[in-house]
Amino acid sequence: MVGGVTEIVTERLVLRHFVETDRQAVVEIQSDPETNRYNPRPPDTATTLVMFDSWLEHWAEFGYGYLAVRERGRPESADGSDVIGMAGVRNREFRGEKVLNLAYRFRPSAWGKGYAAEAARASVEWAEREIPAIPVLISVAVTNAPSLRVVEKLGFTEYVEEDYDGAVSRHFRR
């Protein structure tokens, strides 16, 4: 196991490892058509459940991965209903290289507050401090202007543009 994180606290957010009770919140967020406006193949409930299981497995193997995000100062619910999004890094192969894939997704009710940049920045800072030998990569559909703005705020550099998962995407590195 490399690294290990239990919780990251930012000015306005708490990011913590996923637990089983987050399953429903993740399904709601990942399969919401609004959160998939730029995704040519949005996940359905069954696909999201498989993804969530793989995220829990990644946590068990590596001690880090995608994190549940909730607003700081709000009580944590027993059923995961306080989860407003997800963010974090996990292992991925890209063009034959091991990278840390940065991902984030939030409920539409959390949009416009800068949470994506705040959570992504905290995730990248953790990864670069704890696992500096593995570069962080983020892939963004070229039509996803909001995510491209987040990438710019985080100081990523464009690495390559290509068809990826059904859309023309830009891949960025730090």
Side-chain angles (χ1 to χ4, degrees):
M1 179 165 79
V2 175
V5 61
T6 55
E7 186 175 84
I8 299 172
V9 179
T10 69
E11 182 181 339
R12 301 177 300 156
L13 303 171
V14 176
L15 292 73
R16 61 150 174 78
H17 68 86
F18 278 119
V19 294
E20 184 58 41
T21 55
D22 297 327
R23 186 176 292 273
Q24 183 58 40
V26 169
V27 167
E28 291 169 6
I29 294 165
Q30 288 293 111
S31 61
D32 184 331
E34 196 60 19
T35 66
N36 283 286
R37 286 187 288 173
Y38 305 102
N39 188 346
R41 292 192 289 264
D44 58 14
T45 298
T47 302
T48 301
L49 291 171
V50 170
M51 288 172 25
F52 187 77
D53 287 340
S54 76
W55 297 348
L56 292 179
E57 290 169 11
H58 189 278
W59 268 101
E61 183 175 351
F62 297 101
Y64 63 90
Y66 296 152
L67 302 149
V69 180
R70 64 182 182 81
E71 292 173 296
R72 187 173 172 185
R74 296 213 174 178
E76 190 163 359
S77 68
D79 64 358
S81 60
D82 61 320
V83 174
I84 61 168
M86 53 81 61
V89 296
R90 74 180 207 142
N91 296 346
R92 170 179 160 202
E93 288 282 323
F94 184 76
R95 296 179 156 216
E97 178 184 22
K98 184 177 181 180
V99 298
L100 295 172
N101 185 71
L102 173 64
Y104 56 85
R105 182 159 290 162
F106 286 83
R107 294 181 188 274
S109 61
W111 293 356
K113 299 176 182 181
Y115 289 164
E118 187 173 334
R121 179 175 287 110
S123 299
V124 170
E125 288 172 355
W126 178 88
E128 290 179 339
R129 182 180 62 251
E130 298 295 327
I131 316 169
I134 306 174
V136 177
L137 179 123
I138 184 168
S139 301
V140 180
V142 297
T143 58
N144 190 340
S147 281
L148 291 171
R149 285 192 297 274
V150 169
V151 167
E152 184 178 317
K153 288 177 187 175
L154 297 176
F156 276 75
T157 303
E158 188 172 336
Y159 174 55
V160 67
E161 183 174 298
E162 65 186 5
D163 186 66
Y164 175 73
D165 203 23
V168 176
S169 294
R170 289 189 187 128
H171 306 278
F172 298 85
R173 295 174 70 131
R174 283 221 352 168

